[in-house]
Amino acid sequence: MSLLNDWREYAYSREMTNTKAGEKFWAEYFMIEKGIYEEILADIDNVVSGTVEELAKKYNTELSIMVGFLDGINDSLKTQNPIEEMDKDTVVSLDIDKEKLYYNMVEAKAEWLYELEVWDSLLTPEKRKELYKEQKKSGTIVKDKKVGRNDPCPCGSGKKYKKCCGAN
């Protein structure tokens, strides 16, 4: 089984959801995650890379926690890492697309991450607001106006809806 599967099986298991132990685990994980992001984003021009094990040591965390972090950040990288089949010796690179990362943090409702002070030096307040609105808007469902019986048919036939596609 891959490291990623092990992580997902453990982190999203029944014991880790809706239990005191799970709440404690996720609270600790989010604090570690926040610390790693603060460190990486403080020097975003320096692309962090190394084996999964080396990065775990660098950020003073367990291998499984680093795997969870890599799983979470992967969609925000310029080039994604092969996380599905990675092992402790897989070399990964954290070349972050900062706008995509901010957008994904908003999507994940990770306030503790998208409100980090370091964002002030990375994205303008206007850009953050734009990305925030764009992400929130992406989840909004807009219903089309209902076609009335006597309206022209939307198929473009020129007939009334009731005599065309609306006929039973």
Side-chain angles (χ1 to χ4, degrees), residues 14-33:
R14 182 167 293 178
E15 297 83 44
M16 291 300 135
T17 54
N18 300 322
T19 65
K20 290 283 185 197
E23 286 176 24
K24 182 177 184 243
F25 167 78
W26 283 109
E28 289 172 3
Y29 172 82
F30 292 143
M31 289 304 297
I32 294 167
E33 177 187 47

Side-chain angles (χ1 to χ4, degrees), residues 82-148:
I83 62 171
E84 295 293 333
E85 61 268 352
M86 73 181 166
D87 61 29
K88 67 182 180 73
D89 299 317
T90 303
V91 176
V92 293
S93 174
L94 303 179
D95 192 6
I96 297 169
D97 178 328
K98 60 188 172 191
E99 289 184 11
K100 197 186 295 185
L101 178 62
Y102 188 85
Y103 181 95
N104 290 339
M105 287 176 170
V106 171
E107 182 177 32
K109 297 177 177 69
E111 253 181 71
W112 65 96
L113 297 177
Y114 68 78
E115 289 186 352
L116 288 172
E117 281 186 34
V118 71
W119 284 112
D120 294 340
S121 62
L122 298 175
L123 297 172
T124 65
E126 294 79 22
K127 187 62 178 176
R128 285 183 299 197
K129 189 174 184 178
E130 175 189 325
L131 290 168
Y132 185 89
K133 283 183 174 181
E134 183 182 317
Q135 193 293 312
K136 293 300 182 185
K137 189 176 171 185
S138 72
T140 304
I141 299 170
V142 179
K143 274 183 133 180
D144 288 338
K145 184 180 172 247
K146 186 176 177 182
V147 180

Side-chain angles (χ1 to χ4, degrees), residues 3 32 36 39 48-70 87-88 90 92 94:
L3 287 176
I32 294 167
I36 295 172
E39 196 170 328
V48 175
S49 64
T51 66
V52 178
E53 188 173 48
E54 288 169 347
L55 293 182
K57 286 178 184 171
K58 176 179 177 142
Y59 295 108
N60 197 29
T61 191
E62 298 171 24
L63 185 66
S64 63
I65 299 296
M66 182 51 61
V67 170
F69 178 83
L70 293 170
D87 61 29
K88 67 182 180 73
T90 303
V92 293
L94 303 179

